[in-house]
Amino acid sequence: MSGLPRQAIVRILLSVLLILSLYLLSAATENSSRFGRLYLWLLLINGVVLVVLSGLIINNLQRLVRSLRARETGSRLTLRLMALFVVLAVLPGLVVYGFSMQFLQRGVDSWFDVRVENALEDALALSQASLDQRMRDMQQRLEEAARDLADVSQEMAPITLGDLRARTGASELTLIGENGRIIAASSMDTDSILPNRPEESILLQLRQGRPYVGLDPIENAGLHIRALVRAPGPDGPGNTRILQGLFQVSPRINDLADEVETAFSEYRELAYLRGPLKDSFILTLSLVLLVSLLFAVWSAFYLARRLVAPVSRLAEGTRAMAAGEYGTQLPPAGNDELGFLVRSFNDMSRRVADVRDAARQSQTLVESQRAYLETVLGRLSSGVLALGPDGTLRTYNQAAVDILSVPLHEGTGQPLSALVQRFPDFSPFVEQIDAHQHEAEGEWRAELSLDTREGRRSLICSGALLPGEGEGGGEVIVFDDVTTLIQAQRDAAWGEVARRLAHEIRNPLTPIQLSAERLQHKVGNRLSGDEAALLQRATETIIHQVEAMKEMVQAFSEYARPPVLQLQRVDFNALVQEVVELYRGQAAQASIRTDLDDQLPWLEADPGRLRQLLNNLIRNALEADAGGACEIVVSTRRRSGRHAGGVELDIEDNGPGFADAMLDQLFEPYVSTKPRGSGLGLAIVKKIVEEHNGSISARNVEGGARLSVRLPTGENGQ
Amino acid sequence: MASTMPVWTSASPRAALLVALLCLAAVGISPPAAGFSVASLEQRFANGLLVVDGRIDYSLTATATEALESGVDLVISQRLSLDRPRWWWRDVEVVGQERRYRLAYHAMSRRYVLNRLASGESRSYRSLDALLTRLGTIEAWPVIGRDRLDDQQTYRLRFETELDVDALPRLLRTVAWASADWQLRSEPQTLEVRP
């Protein structure tokens, strides 16, 4: 803060101006000769200030009421402070005002004393009474003079008047005609040409027959007694003239009367001015007080608001903080305790915001780590499951879904056993986990076979407890699909066996056969009868058996021989139809039903090998001991989901199904449960499938067995 | 006022308030219609002089009469001026004359004294009315010699009379300035003069 705010400076300036104007006002009241008309202007200006202040106060009050109604922060505190300030300012002001008024009234009144007033009035009355006697004397003298004038004509009047003036001692005698015209005049004062005329009302009184006598203050000449009497003329009483006489009062009496008059007049004037004096003092005092009080009230608004502002800002800041707006900063509020409070609030708010930012940052970090981990898990070929401490599924990766062939997302947040109810194939896996969980050991490893929708799979599972207590704990299970690995190992072993067997067995077979034929040829002619027949039979048996062995070895060698595929575009449905037709006529006791997908894509394959595959599969199905009418369903469909674009061929029979122990080795040579057959059928099927980069699986279904062959399409499936 | 008020209120209520206040104050100190009034004013040429006759009705307010009878002297001025109007600029004042009279009450003689201040000439009257009638009678007030006037020109004679508040005692003056009872003056009366 750089000193006082501008508003405060303005107010201080205003108050100085106001005090100046009030001072001038009181000075004008005291001494109006110096300030003269300024008083009126000051009065007006102060009146205007009064009204403006009232307007400002009303405006402020309205604002306060409005903010009270709107329940704005700090409005109630402002009201209380306001009320306090106003009471503090107004009450003492009013008390002082009351006392001042009383002192003023009493003080001014005390200058005037009833006794003094009465004394002055008595003095005046005394003076008048003393002059009254003299006035009557003068009137008498004038009446006598008037009688002397009765016989005097108008022409003689000036001379007679001069004599009469000297006799009566008047300073001026004037004879006035009936019509008010001056007939003659005689004056002691030779300077003045014109006689002092009486006023019309006095003449009127004389004409009505009443004489007049009275005092007349004549400027520069002192107090005079003016007396007027009727003066009948020589023409008779009808033509009445008027004689006026002005008599000087003796100088001594004149001075005294003048002093009494002056004192009385001044006292009367002062007494009269007492009212205006009080009025102007009261007016000034009231105005000063009112302006000061209103200024104080107006300033009280300002002060209250200024005091409350930091508090209400604090309240609003706290409210904002409560609403989650951390980091709210309030403007500084001086160096007092409120300022300290505001600074503390700002510090606190800043720190809270910092902590929130840090928390947000670490959350982002955790989330990015989590995303990183999920990406890593997603790219893993091993399946990963994370279970909560209560055995519920928390996290898994895509590989886990692929390997288990179970939609794990449906079981998130539930125990794995919940999924088992809908996917029974899944149960061995769950049992394995449960078993280890109940043992509560740290880490475990296990192998298990799982009969999935995609075929039987061999899995290697390992589990470990996750660190942390409560929410953080749980178990992680990692498992790998080792089916193809095991299969490949077995295939390799069998390939080697077949190659060797073919090599080692085929070589001696031809000499054996040739030897048997030669024996027949050479010896048979020499023998007769039964011996010849025996030989015949024996050699034939040898030759046949050798032939059979040759075929067997041939088959073996074919099994072991690397594929030479002649790939071309194949309509798989047509091929299936063609092969099935062959069997329809042949196997009367079997019914073969086909369920072929119209939308099947073309395959890039060797049709000869595929035909062999189909033959082997159908034969295998026909050979299943159904115990009654053999029913075979051959279906093709376009694959969807992960393997979209491929072709799946299912062959289902209604036989007894595969023995459980055999399922793992079903596609190995010489594994057969059937009374007939070479034991190579399914091995060859598997080999053909693998030559076409496909996969085969077998599983038992309700009321039989199902073999599923999945073949990929060529370039783009069409 | 009424037509301008809405404009003011829309512009600034405080400004309107101020204006209303000033108007009120102006009304408060403006002189009352009654008081002094010029009943007649006539001009004539006599003996080569422009002279003015007139009659003015002086009527003091009760406040002023009470002050007078309480010993407060009152001063009444009569101002006569002859202007040569100019359409393009302010009028030229050819002659400006003022007569000032002091009115006083003489308690000892119970008479009202009229004193012309410039000459010291003084007369006393038994009643205030008589005094005011005398004061209100103007007989042959010489203004200017005819030879000093331009025959081609039209002049404007202007007469006004008022109670001089500034001549009141200082205590009364402050009150008098704010009181309508003391604002006694006549409407200015004008006459056209063609020499």
Side-chain angles (χ1 to χ4, degrees):
Chain A
M1 265 179 66
S2 59
L4 287 164
R6 199 192 298 162
Q7 218 187 345
I9 294 169
V10 168
R11 271 164 204 267
I12 288 170
L13 270 178
L14 269 178
S15 56
V16 167
L17 277 178
L18 201 66
I19 287 167
L20 187 71
S21 95
L22 292 177
Y23 165 74
L24 286 175
L25 189 70
S26 64
T29 312
E30 297 278 338
N31 185 0
S32 58
S33 63
R34 238 169 82 192
F35 295 99
R37 296 185 182 214
L38 184 65
Y39 179 78
L40 193 70
W41 285 109
L42 287 170
L43 219 58
L44 189 68
I45 288 169
N46 280 297
V48 169
V49 167
L50 207 68
V51 174
V52 169
L53 277 177
S54 305
L56 284 174
I57 287 168
I58 288 169
N59 180 266
N60 273 303
L61 268 177
Q62 281 174 344
R63 267 167 62 187
L64 187 61
V65 168
R66 225 176 296 141
S67 60
L68 271 173
R69 284 216 184 117
R71 295 177 177 279
E72 270 172 31
T73 326
S75 55
R76 270 167 295 172
L77 191 58
T78 312
L79 180 71
R80 283 171 63 181
L81 275 176
M82 255 304 300
L84 201 68
F85 286 151
V86 167
V87 167
L88 280 181
V90 172
L91 273 188
L94 288 179
V95 169
V96 169
Y97 179 69
F99 275 98
S100 307
M101 291 298 278
Q102 215 171 352
F103 280 131
L104 190 68
Q105 299 272 11
R106 285 196 188 155
V108 172
D109 285 344
S110 69
W111 300 340
F112 300 92
D113 198 327
V114 181
R115 281 179 301 176
V116 174
E117 200 171 345
N118 288 343
L120 275 172
E121 275 175 10
D122 291 348
L124 190 75
L126 189 65
S127 311
Q128 284 169 340
S130 74
L131 286 169
D132 273 352
Q133 182 58 44
R134 199 169 158 70
M135 273 149 60
R136 273 198 297 278
D137 291 350
M138 293 308 143
Q139 189 186 353
Q140 228 164 4
R141 276 193 216 172
L142 199 64
E143 276 170 355
E144 283 167 16
R147 276 195 291 276
D148 293 347
L149 269 176
D151 305 326
V152 180
S153 65
Q154 280 195 13
E155 292 74 29
M156 289 301 290
I159 300 154
T160 318
L161 273 184
D163 293 346
L164 284 175
R165 186 181 64 76
R167 208 177 69 205
T168 54
S171 60
E172 184 184 299
L173 275 183
T174 314
L175 187 66
I176 301 163
E178 182 86 12
N179 50 4
R181 212 162 44 80
I182 291 170
I183 298 166
S186 171
S187 177
M188 201 166 69
D189 182 12
T190 48
D191 294 344
S192 78
I193 302 154
L194 279 175
N196 196 314
R197 266 182 72 88
E199 56 200 289
E200 285 303 316
S201 60
I202 296 175
L203 290 179
L204 198 68
Q205 182 183 330
L206 262 293
R207 276 184 207 118
Q208 287 166 354
R210 288 183 287 134
Y212 168 85
V213 65
L215 287 171
D216 196 347
I218 292 173
E219 201 75 14
N220 304 325
L223 199 63
H224 281 69
I225 295 167
R226 186 193 292 270
L228 282 96
V229 293
R230 289 159 68 97
D235 309 334
N239 183 11
T240 307
R241 297 179 297 184
I242 292 166
L243 182 64
Q244 174 189 250
L246 281 174
F247 302 90
Q248 250 178 347
V249 177
S250 69
R252 169 102 182 110
I253 290 180
N254 185 36
D255 290 348
L256 285 174
D258 205 34
E259 269 173 36
V260 170
E261 159 69 25
T262 309
F264 178 78
S265 184
E266 276 177 6
Y267 189 84
R268 280 288 302 271
E269 184 181 358
L270 274 179
Y272 173 76
L273 289 178
R274 171 170 54 165
L277 177 76
K278 278 199 280 189
D279 285 353
S280 67
F281 273 131
I282 287 169
L283 187 68
T284 308
L285 185 64
S286 305
L287 205 62
V288 168
L289 181 94
L290 213 56
V291 169
S292 308
L293 280 189
L294 288 184
F295 194 81
V297 170
W298 182 49
S299 295
F301 272 107
Y302 169 72
L303 282 178
R305 207 165 282 142
R306 208 170 129 70
L307 268 178
V308 168
V311 177
S312 59
R313 277 203 292 271
L314 267 176
E316 270 167 19
T318 314
R319 201 176 288 161
M321 285 275 282
E325 287 172 35
Y326 305 119
T328 309
Q329 292 290 301
L330 302 178
N335 291 318
D336 53 3
E337 283 75 8
L338 272 176
F340 171 72
L341 205 57
V342 167
R343 280 198 298 281
S344 302
F345 177 87
N346 283 347
D347 278 353
M348 179 186 75
S349 176
R350 198 179 312 116
R351 279 186 199 161
V352 170
D354 288 349
V355 167
R356 179 202 51 192
D357 290 346
R360 214 178 261 167
Q361 219 165 359
S362 65
Q363 196 181 354
T364 316
L365 197 67
V366 165
E367 264 167 22
S368 72
Q369 278 177 351
R370 188 186 151 88
Y372 169 77
L373 211 59
E374 266 181 12
T375 315
V376 170
L377 280 179
R379 295 290 161 202
L380 273 183
S381 62
S382 306
V384 178
L385 291 183
L387 302 180
D390 51 353
T392 53
L393 178 62
R394 293 175 74 172
T395 320
Y396 58 90
N397 64 353
Q398 186 56 42
V401 178
D402 294 345
I403 293 170
L404 296 174
S405 293
V406 168
L408 289 171
H409 67 269
E410 292 179 13
T412 314
Q414 297 170 4
L416 288 176
S417 47
L419 278 171
V420 172
Q421 290 171 357
R422 280 160 45 216
F423 304 96
D425 300 341
F426 188 45
S427 64
F429 183 76
V430 178
E431 281 162 14
Q432 188 80 45
I433 291 168
D434 283 351
H436 288 288
Q437 209 169 24
H438 290 138
E439 284 166 21
E441 37 187 304
E443 291 186 20
W444 53 268
R445 284 179 78 84
E447 287 184 29
L448 75 143
S449 294
L450 200 62
D451 207 7
T452 70
R453 277 191 302 175
E454 307 263 328
R456 195 172 180 78
R457 283 191 173 143
S458 300
L459 305 181
I460 293 177
C461 299
S462 65
L465 289 177
L466 287 170
E469 291 295 315
E471 281 294 300
E475 192 176 14
V476 64
I477 294 142
V478 181
F479 48 94
D480 285 295
D481 181 5
V482 293
T483 317
T484 46
L485 188 70
I486 292 169
Q487 204 66 50
Q489 284 172 353
R490 281 185 184 154
D491 289 353
W494 274 111
E496 185 63 25
V497 167
R499 203 167 51 77
R500 289 226 173 156
L501 211 62
H503 188 257
E504 298 294 331
I505 292 174
R506 192 162 33 185
N507 286 353
L509 280 182
T510 310
I512 290 170
Q513 193 182 11
L514 287 174
S515 298
E517 282 173 349
R518 205 164 150 195
L519 202 64
Q520 166 85 39
H521 190 69
K522 296 276 183 178
V523 181
N525 296 338
R526 280 182 242 167
L527 292 176
S528 59
D530 292 344
E531 288 172 336
L534 178 66
L535 184 67
Q536 179 73 28
R537 279 205 306 275
T539 51
E540 272 182 10
T541 305
I542 288 170
I543 288 164
H544 280 129
Q545 288 304 316
V546 166
E547 199 64 40
M549 276 185 82
K550 267 189 173 170
E551 277 177 20
M552 193 187 77
V553 168
Q554 182 64 31
F556 244 134
S557 73
E558 271 180 24
Y559 174 72
R561 193 175 58 198
V564 182
L565 292 179
Q566 296 186 340
L567 295 176
Q568 62 185 78
R569 276 164 68 88
V570 175
D571 182 353
F572 194 53
N573 275 346
L575 203 66
V576 170
Q577 209 78 39
E578 187 191 313
V579 174
V580 167
E581 283 309 314
L582 283 175
Y583 286 91
R584 278 216 176 113
Q586 208 182 76
Q589 79 281 13
S591 79
I592 303 177
R593 195 156 57 82
T594 55
D595 177 14
L596 304 178
D597 186 352
D598 293 340
Q599 302 293 317
L600 213 57
W602 291 75
L603 287 178
E604 193 74 18
D606 186 337
R609 297 289 277 172
L610 284 188
R611 205 170 279 126
Q612 196 181 353
L613 176 135
L614 287 165
N615 274 326
N616 274 330
L617 283 174
I618 293 171
R619 205 180 298 135
N620 180 68
L622 284 172
E623 283 165 2
D625 185 11
C630 186
E631 283 178 19
I632 296 170
V633 179
V634 179
S635 58
T636 60
R637 63 187 162 91
R638 191 192 183 118
R639 299 194 70 195
S640 58
R642 188 155 63 104
H643 304 286
V647 167
E648 186 167 322
L649 170 75
D650 286 344
I651 295 179
E652 254 183 73
D653 62 41
N654 60 342
F658 305 108
D660 206 33
M662 271 185 65
L663 273 171
D664 287 342
Q665 300 142 13
L666 201 58
F667 299 104
E668 288 170 21
Y670 302 105
V671 175
S672 178
T673 49
K674 295 166 187 137
R676 291 173 289 163
S678 65
L680 275 175
L682 288 180
I684 287 169
V685 164
K686 182 164 183 291
K687 195 166 165 59
I688 293 169
V689 170
E690 283 171 356
E691 281 166 12
H692 285 87
N693 294 322
S695 66
I696 183 164
S697 62
R699 64 190 306 206
N700 290 326
V701 293
E702 208 174 330
R706 180 200 289 164
L707 281 162
S708 299
V709 173
R710 290 170 288 275
L711 293 170
T713 53
E715 305 282 317
N716 54 6
Q718 282 297 320
Chain B
M1 194 67 198
S3 63
T4 58
M5 271 312 272
V7 182
W8 277 104
T9 44
S10 67
S12 160
R14 287 186 197 175
L17 195 69
L18 197 67
V19 166
L21 181 87
L22 285 173
C23 292
L24 270 176
V27 168
I29 59 168
S30 69
F36 299 173
S37 68
V38 181
S40 70
L41 192 71
E42 281 161 17
Q43 47 104 0
R44 60 190 161 91
F45 288 98
N47 304 326
L49 279 177
L50 171 67
V51 293
V52 173
D53 301 318
R55 203 166 56 74
I56 304 136
D57 291 339
Y58 285 107
S59 150
L60 292 180
T61 56
T63 313
T65 311
E66 189 197 343
L68 181 67
E69 284 168 1
S70 298
V72 178
D73 292 354
L74 306 181
V75 172
I76 287 174
S77 72
Q78 295 175 341
R79 193 179 151 69
L80 191 66
S81 66
L82 186 71
D83 297 340
R84 197 174 71 228
R86 282 192 298 198
W87 60 267
W88 51 275
W89 196 242
R90 286 178 58 181
D91 298 350
V92 184
E93 191 181 76
V94 181
V95 184
Q97 294 174 347
E98 190 180 30
R99 288 178 176 179
R100 288 164 68 78
Y101 296 92
R102 189 177 67 221
L103 280 68
Y105 178 67
H106 197 261
M108 183 73 79
S109 60
R110 299 190 189 87
R111 287 177 74 85
Y112 297 87
V113 181
L114 177 66
N115 188 359
R116 188 169 161 192
L117 285 175
S119 64
E121 184 188 330
S122 158
R123 286 295 303 269
S124 66
Y125 299 90
R126 231 169 24 144
S127 71
L128 182 60
D129 285 342
L131 184 146
L132 290 177
T133 308
R134 178 67 197 88
L135 182 64
T137 310
I138 296 174
E139 283 169 1
W141 180 335
V143 182
I144 191 169
R146 185 175 188 150
D147 50 348
R148 284 181 61 197
L149 297 177
D150 185 354
D151 288 353
Q152 308 303 313
Q153 192 75 41
T154 305
Y155 294 89
R156 187 186 297 132
L157 196 69
R158 181 185 159 93
F159 176 85
E160 57 190 329
T161 177
E162 66 173 342
L163 179 78
D164 190 355
V165 173
D166 285 334
L168 290 171
R170 62 177 175 83
L171 281 176
L172 196 54
R173 216 178 301 163
T174 52
V175 178
W177 274 116
S179 162
D181 283 345
W182 287 99
Q183 303 301 316
L184 294 167
R185 66 169 66 91
S186 71
E187 293 291 313
Q189 191 84 12
T190 55
L191 282 178
E192 283 218 336
V193 178
R194 290 172 186 277

